[in-house]
Amino acid sequence: MGKFVVAPLADIPPGTQKRVRVAGRDIAVFNVGGELFGISDACPHQGGSLSTGTTVGLTTSSEPGTFCHSRPGEFVRCPWHSWEFDLRTGQSWCDPRRFRTKAYDLSVEPGETLVAGPYVAETFGVSVEDQYVVVEF
Protein backbone atom coordinates (compact mmCIF):
# COMPACT_ATOMS: atom_id res chain seq x y z
CA MET A 1 0.00 0.00 0.00
CA GLY A 2 1.37 3.40 -0.88
CA LYS A 3 0.54 6.90 -1.98
CA PHE A 4 1.06 8.12 -5.54
CA VAL A 5 0.78 11.67 -6.82
CA VAL A 6 -1.35 11.45 -9.95
CA ALA A 7 -2.06 15.03 -11.06
CA PRO A 8 -2.23 18.65 -10.01
CA LEU A 9 -5.74 19.39 -8.74
CA ALA A 10 -6.06 22.11 -11.39
CA ASP A 11 -5.87 19.38 -14.09
CA ILE A 12 -9.18 17.88 -12.88
CA PRO A 13 -11.61 20.78 -12.33
CA PRO A 14 -15.18 20.14 -11.14
CA GLY A 15 -17.28 18.37 -13.77
CA THR A 16 -14.33 16.62 -15.42
CA GLN A 17 -12.62 13.26 -15.31
CA LYS A 18 -9.15 11.99 -16.13
CA ARG A 19 -7.50 8.62 -16.64
CA VAL A 20 -4.24 8.18 -14.75
CA ARG A 21 -1.82 5.25 -14.64
CA VAL A 22 -0.59 4.15 -11.20
CA ALA A 23 1.63 1.12 -10.60
CA GLY A 24 0.54 -0.43 -13.90
CA ARG A 25 -3.17 0.20 -13.31
CA ASP A 26 -5.46 2.62 -15.13
CA ILE A 27 -7.61 4.62 -12.71
CA ALA A 28 -10.45 6.95 -13.65
CA VAL A 29 -10.48 10.07 -11.44
CA PHE A 30 -13.71 12.13 -11.33
CA ASN A 31 -14.29 15.58 -9.83
CA VAL A 32 -17.98 15.92 -8.96
CA GLY A 33 -18.64 19.40 -7.59
CA GLY A 34 -15.22 19.52 -5.93
CA GLU A 35 -15.45 16.00 -4.46
CA LEU A 36 -12.97 13.52 -5.93
CA PHE A 37 -13.65 9.86 -6.73
CA GLY A 38 -11.34 7.18 -8.13
CA ILE A 39 -12.38 3.86 -9.68
CA SER A 40 -10.74 1.28 -11.90
CA ASP A 41 -10.89 2.56 -15.48
CA ALA A 42 -11.96 -0.81 -16.95
CA CYS A 43 -15.66 -1.70 -16.87
CA PRO A 44 -15.89 -5.19 -15.34
CA HIS A 45 -18.55 -6.16 -17.91
CA GLN A 46 -16.35 -6.09 -21.02
CA GLY A 47 -13.52 -3.65 -20.33
CA GLY A 48 -14.82 -0.31 -21.64
CA SER A 49 -12.90 2.76 -20.45
CA LEU A 50 -14.98 4.34 -17.66
CA SER A 51 -12.93 7.54 -17.81
CA THR A 52 -14.53 8.22 -21.21
CA GLY A 53 -18.04 7.50 -19.92
CA THR A 54 -20.77 10.00 -19.13
CA THR A 55 -21.47 10.95 -15.52
CA VAL A 56 -25.13 10.84 -14.53
CA GLY A 57 -27.27 11.06 -11.41
CA LEU A 58 -29.50 8.50 -9.75
CA THR A 59 -33.16 8.22 -10.75
CA THR A 60 -35.46 6.20 -8.50
CA SER A 61 -39.21 5.63 -8.39
CA SER A 62 -41.47 4.75 -5.47
CA GLU A 63 -44.43 4.18 -7.79
CA PRO A 64 -45.24 4.35 -11.53
CA GLY A 65 -45.09 7.90 -12.88
CA THR A 66 -43.18 9.27 -9.87
CA PHE A 67 -39.46 9.92 -10.24
CA CYS A 68 -36.82 11.21 -7.87
CA HIS A 69 -33.52 12.52 -9.26
CA SER A 70 -30.63 12.64 -6.80
CA ARG A 71 -26.84 12.42 -6.54
CA PRO A 72 -26.10 14.38 -9.73
CA GLY A 73 -22.89 13.27 -11.45
CA GLU A 74 -22.11 10.49 -8.93
CA PHE A 75 -22.53 7.61 -11.40
CA VAL A 76 -20.58 6.84 -14.55
CA ARG A 77 -22.15 5.17 -17.57
CA CYS A 78 -19.83 2.86 -19.52
CA PRO A 79 -19.53 4.10 -23.13
CA TRP A 80 -19.75 0.56 -24.56
CA HIS A 81 -22.97 -0.89 -23.11
CA SER A 82 -24.27 1.86 -20.77
CA TRP A 83 -23.71 -0.08 -17.55
CA GLU A 84 -23.70 2.37 -14.63
CA PHE A 85 -21.37 2.37 -11.62
CA ASP A 86 -21.57 4.29 -8.36
CA LEU A 87 -18.45 6.48 -8.11
CA ARG A 88 -18.49 6.27 -4.28
CA THR A 89 -18.45 2.47 -4.06
CA GLY A 90 -17.76 1.07 -7.54
CA GLN A 91 -21.03 -0.90 -7.30
CA SER A 92 -22.77 -1.81 -10.57
CA TRP A 93 -26.37 -0.66 -10.91
CA CYS A 94 -27.00 -3.06 -13.81
CA ASP A 95 -26.04 -6.29 -12.02
CA PRO A 96 -25.12 -5.37 -8.42
CA ARG A 97 -24.71 -8.94 -7.16
CA ARG A 98 -22.13 -9.91 -9.78
CA PHE A 99 -20.28 -6.74 -10.82
CA ARG A 100 -18.42 -3.87 -9.25
CA THR A 101 -15.30 -1.94 -10.09
CA LYS A 102 -12.53 -1.16 -7.61
CA ALA A 103 -12.97 2.16 -5.81
CA TYR A 104 -9.83 4.02 -4.65
CA ASP A 105 -9.37 6.51 -1.81
CA LEU A 106 -8.25 9.92 -3.03
CA SER A 107 -6.99 12.90 -1.12
CA VAL A 108 -5.80 16.38 -2.00
CA GLU A 109 -2.53 17.34 -0.37
CA PRO A 110 -0.53 20.55 -0.55
CA GLY A 111 2.68 20.30 -2.50
CA GLU A 112 4.84 21.28 0.46
CA THR A 113 3.77 18.17 2.43
CA LEU A 114 4.62 15.94 -0.53
CA VAL A 115 8.08 17.44 -0.85
CA ALA A 116 8.88 16.88 2.85
CA GLY A 117 8.94 13.04 2.76
CA PRO A 118 11.29 10.87 4.88
CA TYR A 119 14.32 11.50 2.65
CA VAL A 120 17.93 12.06 3.66
CA ALA A 121 19.77 14.03 1.04
CA GLU A 122 21.30 17.39 0.30
CA THR A 123 18.45 19.90 0.29
CA PHE A 124 17.72 23.19 -1.39
CA GLY A 125 15.03 25.74 -0.64
CA VAL A 126 11.89 24.87 -2.60
CA SER A 127 8.37 26.23 -2.46
CA VAL A 128 5.38 24.34 -3.82
CA GLU A 129 2.17 26.27 -4.28
CA ASP A 130 -0.24 23.94 -6.06
CA GLN A 131 -2.37 21.15 -4.63
CA TYR A 132 -2.14 17.62 -6.02
CA VAL A 133 -4.50 14.62 -6.23
CA VAL A 134 -3.05 11.54 -4.49
CA VAL A 135 -4.37 7.95 -4.84
CA GLU A 136 -3.87 5.37 -2.08
CA PHE A 137 -3.44 1.64 -2.67
Side-chain angles (χ1 to χ4, degrees):
M1 187 117 156
K3 289 185 174 187
F4 300 86
V5 176
V6 296
L9 181 58
D11 285 0
I12 313 168
T16 66
Q17 58 233 32
K18 180 181 184 78
R19 180 178 55 208
V20 298
R21 189 150 182 88
V22 178
R25 298 179 185 142
D26 287 328
I27 298 173
V29 177
F30 296 82
N31 186 333
V32 180
E35 191 171 3
L36 295 169
F37 301 98
I39 59 172
S40 174
D41 189 45
C43 176
H45 173 230
Q46 290 189 346
S49 172
L50 295 176
S51 64
T52 62
T54 302
T55 54
V56 296
L58 178 63
T59 301
T60 56
S61 176
S62 59
E63 61 185 72
T66 303
F67 302 99
C68 177
H69 299 287
S70 62
R71 300 181 60 193
E74 291 186 23
F75 294 81
V76 63
R77 183 176 294 147
C78 178
W80 287 7
H81 300 107
S82 296
W83 282 38
E84 294 177 355
F85 296 89
D86 186 331
L87 293 177
R88 290 186 184 279
T89 64
Q91 186 67 52
S92 163
W93 283 85
C94 294
D95 193 347
R97 285 185 276 179
R98 289 185 38 210
F99 292 99
R100 75 177 317 124
T101 187
K102 169 95 171 117
Y104 292 94
D105 292 328
L106 299 178
S107 63
V108 176
E109 300 182 18
E112 62 268 6
T113 63
L114 298 175
V115 171
Y119 315 110
V120 177
E122 182 179 6
T123 60
F124 301 92
V126 174
S127 69
V128 180
E129 298 175 4
D130 289 335
Q131 295 189 345
Y132 295 87
V133 178
V134 177
V135 64
E136 270 191 57
F137 274 86

